[in-house]
């Protein structure tokens, strides 16, 4: 009997868990996709060395339009590797459901995810995040309003927003913090909710969890001009800051000291 | 020069990362606390074997009222281990800020967190979660309203709510899914928002990510009577379900088939 195990590798090469390594040793074939997200500072060869087995890299069409992985899993134990946590992308949930419908058993090995690590790196309280948004790389004639509305809704309730940035792996394009800020400013010009003002505090995070991680908190113009380095980048729009969260942003993300409320 | 590294071990013993193991090998002393959260199926001795070093277990007062860890980190490299991701608990952010203020450098090694793994295990989309709530173990004369209000607020927006359950490690009490449901029913009787009705779908998750994991989705009475086994337990109140999310709850958490909308 075969089995398909979805394995999350976390954000960078060192994030892989003991459970994942143990499991991969017992797999017949190991597939991976890095188009929904990518690993920080981890070329495939390094990753193969880390996890001790050869990786068959899949492109989008291999995952979405063919049954390569599920077919292989009918006969033997197969791992399907992804960055982050393996079920964050809808396409993986879809693949898991398809496998189960076809009688192939599945399992998950969780990985460190940007959904929790980004808050943690910045010292923001994870329970105070509202819904997450993703900013799309702008295309002519297509500028969806919903990310702006969701951020505004979170903000009005005092909640933080994790702002994921678009990835087009096929084109080698990974949206940067600066491009994200440009998107936000454009959205403000269009929808005028008073959300992205010049004195609105935002956070930029690059390569979260990696030794080369860079965090910055400041006003839109600060983040636009900051050199954040290679991908992946993420933004956060903080809502109402607890005193300790403000202190954390000053200590760990170079936020201006003026964001800390004056205490008695 | 010393350093204090906050290391997240994830949810169970196998979740520890390669990065954490590498780091722990270079530490002078390794402290841990398991009162803000605990590791699944991982007695201290097993954990010590997994990570290859002796662990000095700290109680709440050692962490909150003394400077044992920070003092040790002045002179040498020290690790402070926690379950999950190391900065999810406010007390760890507070400790990190205190260390930095006293001139002790700090770093984080992220861990797999219930904040992302629970959604992932159930097949719910992580970006559709609103703010997280924690239900307190009920005490006479103390029944805070805010968790109910936050859940209602999320639900009205179509968002899912991750419902963490109280832990009182000192008393060996870990709130169960059944106790959580009781809390919710009591809150409904008090605040009458029409949120926790007898046909409201909820999810219970026990020991997420561990080989003994148990997931269940159903109505309050179903989850109340389900034997979920040892801690930790978590609840989720789903908001508007996407077709695929409904399918996932049926496949992976034994939800009634009737939750799947009839497609054409």
């Amino acid at each position: 009997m075969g089995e398909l195990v979805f394995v999350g590798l976390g954000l960078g090469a060192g994030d892989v868990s003991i459970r994942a390594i143990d499991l991969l040793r017992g797999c017949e074939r190991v597939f991976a996709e890095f188009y929904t997200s990518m690993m920080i500072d981890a070329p495939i060869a390094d990753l193969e060395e880390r996890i001790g087995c050869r990786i068959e890299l899949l492109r989008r069409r291999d995952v979405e339009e063919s049954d390569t992985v599920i077919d292989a899993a009918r006969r033997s134990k197969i791992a399907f590797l992804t960055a982050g946590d393996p079920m964050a992308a809808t396409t993986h949930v879809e693949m898991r459901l398809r496998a189960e419908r076809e009688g192939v058993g599945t399992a998950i090995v969780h990985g460190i995810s940007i959904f929790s690590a980004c808050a943690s790196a910045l010292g923001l309280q994870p329970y105070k995040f509202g819904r997450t948004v993703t900013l799309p790389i702008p295309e002519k004639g297509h500028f969806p309003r919903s990310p702006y509305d969701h951020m505004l809704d979170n903000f009005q309730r005092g909640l933080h927003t994790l702002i994921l940035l678009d990835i087009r792996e096929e084109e080698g394009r990974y949206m940067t913090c600066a491009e994200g800020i440009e998107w936000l400013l454009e959205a403000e010009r269009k929808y005028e909710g008073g959300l992205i003002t010049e004195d609105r505090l935002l956070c930029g995070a690059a390569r979260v969890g990696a030794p080369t991680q860079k965090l910055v908190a400041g006003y839109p113009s600060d983040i636009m001009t900051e050199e954040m380095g290679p991908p992946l980048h993420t933004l956060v729009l903080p809502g109402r800051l607890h005193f300790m969260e403000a202190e954390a942003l000053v200590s760990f993300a170079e936020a201006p000291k003026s964001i800390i409320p004056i205490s008695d």
Side-chain angles (χ1 to χ4, degrees), chain A:
Chain A
M1 259 311 266
E3 188 183 15
L4 174 53
V5 189
F6 292 85
V7 178
L9 296 174
L11 306 173
D15 289 351
V16 60
S17 69
I18 298 280
R19 192 193 305 278
I21 304 268
D22 286 352
L23 176 119
L24 292 171
R25 293 218 173 96
C27 286
E28 190 84 5
R29 289 172 76 183
V30 175
F31 297 96
E33 72 78 8
F34 297 116
Y35 69 85
T36 59
S37 186
M38 68 176 281
M39 301 288 290
I40 308 299
D41 301 334
I44 293 287
D46 292 7
L47 211 51
E48 289 178 322
E49 200 180 321
R50 272 284 195 191
I51 65 177
C53 56
R54 202 172 76 80
I55 294 172
E56 301 178 50
L57 193 62
L58 300 175
R59 298 185 168 269
R60 186 186 291 272
R61 62 170 181 277
D62 303 323
V63 175
E64 293 174 9
E65 293 162 32
S66 102
D67 277 341
T68 315
V69 179
I70 293 173
D71 284 342
R74 284 183 214 282
R75 295 174 302 276
S76 48
K77 191 165 179 173
I78 300 297
F80 180 66
L81 311 180
T82 66
D85 193 279
M87 290 291 132
T90 314
T91 189
H92 304 154
V93 178
E94 202 280 325
M95 188 197 260
R96 189 175 177 210
L97 284 167
R98 201 147 38 93
E100 293 274 346
R101 269 199 301 271
E102 301 191 13
V104 174
T106 62
I108 300 178
V109 174
H110 294 287
I112 294 163
S113 169
I114 193 70
F115 280 89
S116 52
C118 190
S120 183
L122 290 162
L124 298 176
Q125 292 305 296
Y127 64 89
K128 282 175 59 190
F129 278 72
R131 73 178 293 163
T132 300
V133 302
T134 301
L135 304 187
I137 292 173
E139 300 215 56
K140 238 187 156 70
H142 178 67
F143 199 94
R145 180 178 179 134
S146 63
Y148 183 86
D149 287 345
H150 293 323
M151 281 183 280
L152 184 58
D153 189 46
N154 285 339
F155 188 81
Q156 285 169 341
R157 293 190 291 147
L159 302 178
H160 311 320
T161 307
L162 176 67
I163 305 171
L164 302 176
L165 302 172
D166 204 0
I167 290 175
R168 286 205 203 142
E169 190 254 355
E170 300 87 340
E171 302 168 26
R173 285 184 72 185
Y174 298 88
M175 200 173 182
T176 63
C177 284
E179 289 170 325
I181 297 288
E182 271 177 49
W183 193 101
L184 295 176
L185 293 170
E186 178 65 21
E188 183 62 43
R189 277 190 293 271
K190 278 185 196 290
Y191 310 125
E192 299 180 326
L195 182 65
I196 311 299
T197 54
E198 62 185 31
D199 60 349
R200 179 69 65 220
L201 189 77
L202 284 144
C203 309
R207 300 171 305 288
V208 170
T212 63
Q213 168 180 289
K214 182 172 171 73
L215 305 175
V216 59
Y219 305 117
S221 59
D222 301 330
I223 296 178
M224 278 273 254
T225 52
E226 189 77 39
E227 184 45 73
M228 299 297 287
L232 296 175
H233 292 186
T234 312
L235 293 170
V236 171
L237 173 64
R240 230 179 347 261
L241 288 173
H242 181 274
F243 183 83
M244 200 183 295
E245 293 179 308
E247 268 201 292
L249 292 183
V250 170
S251 284
F252 310 129
E254 301 165 46
K257 281 215 176 71
S258 57
I259 69 165
I260 300 181
I262 293 156
S263 61
D264 305 320

